[in-house]
């Protein structure tokens, strides 16, 4: 990006020329969770100066990885979103999440956010099922709601209209992280539910 380059004829080096600068992959982490306003990104990325955020977004747009969208009224606001090329980074970020999960410190000494628990500690560990095996889990984590829908080897966070979840998992971000690190079983409401057992298997928590 910009004038910085590894200047190597290597696909890894070329990829890092595009997304290897400081903060870039964390910006993409946010945009791959959904559309974000500039102010949303500033809140999600404390420590990132506004001018540097603007520079990174401009570079990512020039690379075709990020685009600006204008939401219709009544929202009428500009948001940033990952393009199709940007979504190609999903498996990269999932691999990084799997690599980093066990390297995090104990969650009881931190304040993990619900979205980090879902997108960093659950979805990267999704275990594909046979074709046609559909399962919809609704996650209630520290007051935030997320939907994860597995359909064979595919995973989505957007259920079909009117879709009823097979299970509702009520827990905390700390407990999700602790379960992923093997510190304690996932604490949920409604224990002894076979659907909870399936959820745990799907995301390799059991």
């Amino acid at each position: 990006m910009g004038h910085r380059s590894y200047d190597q004829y290597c696909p890894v080096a070329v990829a890092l020329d595009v997304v290897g600068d400081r903060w870039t992959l964390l910006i993409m982490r946010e945009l791959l969770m959904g559309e974000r306003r500039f102010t949303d990104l500033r809140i999600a990325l404390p420590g990132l100066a506004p001018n540097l955020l603007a520079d990174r977004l401009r570079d990512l747009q020039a690379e075709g990885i990020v685009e600006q969208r204008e939401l219709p009224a009544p929202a009428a606001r500009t948001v940033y979103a990952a393009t199709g090329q940007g979504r190609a980074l999903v498996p990269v970020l999932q691999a990084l999440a799997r690599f980093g999960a066990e390297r995090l410190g104990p969650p009881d000494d931190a304040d993990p956010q619900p979205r980090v628990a879902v997108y960093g500690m659950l979805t990267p560990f999704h275990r594909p099922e046979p074709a046609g095996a559909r399962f919809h889990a609704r996650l209630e984590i520290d007051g935030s709601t997320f939907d994860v829908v597995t359909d064979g080897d595919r995973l989505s966070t957007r259920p079909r209209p009117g879709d009823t979840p097979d299970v509702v998992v009520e827990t905390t971000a700390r407990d999700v992280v602790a379960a992923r690190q093997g510190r304690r079983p996932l604490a949920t409401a409604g224990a002894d539910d076979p659907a909870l057992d399936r959820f745990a298997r799907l995301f390799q928590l059991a």
Side-chain angles (χ1 to χ4, degrees):
M1 300 178 68
H3 67 278
R4 300 180 63 183
S5 173
Y6 288 101
D7 195 23
Q8 292 185 24
Y9 189 76
C10 165
V12 175
V14 170
L16 289 174
D17 285 345
V18 177
V19 296
D21 281 339
R22 180 172 167 82
W23 293 106
T24 298
L25 283 176
L26 293 182
I27 292 170
M28 292 309 302
R29 176 197 69 188
E30 295 300 314
L31 296 181
L32 288 168
M33 296 181 199
E35 298 169 337
R36 296 286 188 268
R37 297 171 299 171
F38 189 87
T39 52
D40 296 330
L41 291 170
R42 287 196 62 192
I43 292 169
L45 299 165
L48 175 54
N51 60 328
L52 183 56
L53 173 58
D55 288 346
R56 292 287 187 265
L57 288 169
R58 185 163 47 248
D59 289 340
L60 289 166
Q61 288 177 84
E63 292 286 350
I65 294 173
V66 168
E67 63 183 358
Q68 278 187 306
R69 295 176 184 169
E70 297 295 330
L71 298 185
R77 64 187 184 188
T78 300
V79 295
Y80 294 90
T83 65
Q85 288 188 55
R87 288 190 290 275
L89 290 169
V90 167
V92 175
L93 288 169
Q94 288 178 330
L96 286 171
R98 293 192 296 268
F99 180 79
E102 65 183 31
R103 290 166 172 81
L104 285 176
D108 294 332
D109 297 337
D111 186 23
Q113 297 300 305
R115 69 177 186 277
V116 172
V118 174
Y119 297 109
M121 292 294 193
L122 287 177
T123 58
F125 296 85
H126 175 246
R127 178 181 286 148
E129 290 203 313
R134 184 176 171 84
F135 185 76
H136 175 189
R138 177 159 294 158
L139 312 176
E140 302 284 354
I141 301 178
D142 296 330
S144 296
T145 301
F146 305 86
D147 288 282
V148 289
V149 182
T150 185
D151 191 350
D153 63 351
R154 300 184 61 188
L155 182 68
S156 171
T157 56
R158 295 183 178 179
R160 299 168 181 166
D163 206 0
T164 300
D166 296 290
V167 68
V168 176
V169 180
E170 298 180 29
T171 187
T172 69
R174 280 195 177 101
D175 283 339
V176 172
V177 177
R180 171 60 59 217
Q181 295 177 332
R183 298 177 184 276
R184 56 179 179 263
L186 182 64
T188 62
D192 301 324
D193 183 340
L196 281 175
D197 291 339
R198 185 177 177 189
F199 168 79
R201 290 195 304 272
L202 275 173
F203 294 98
Q204 301 186 54
L205 292 170

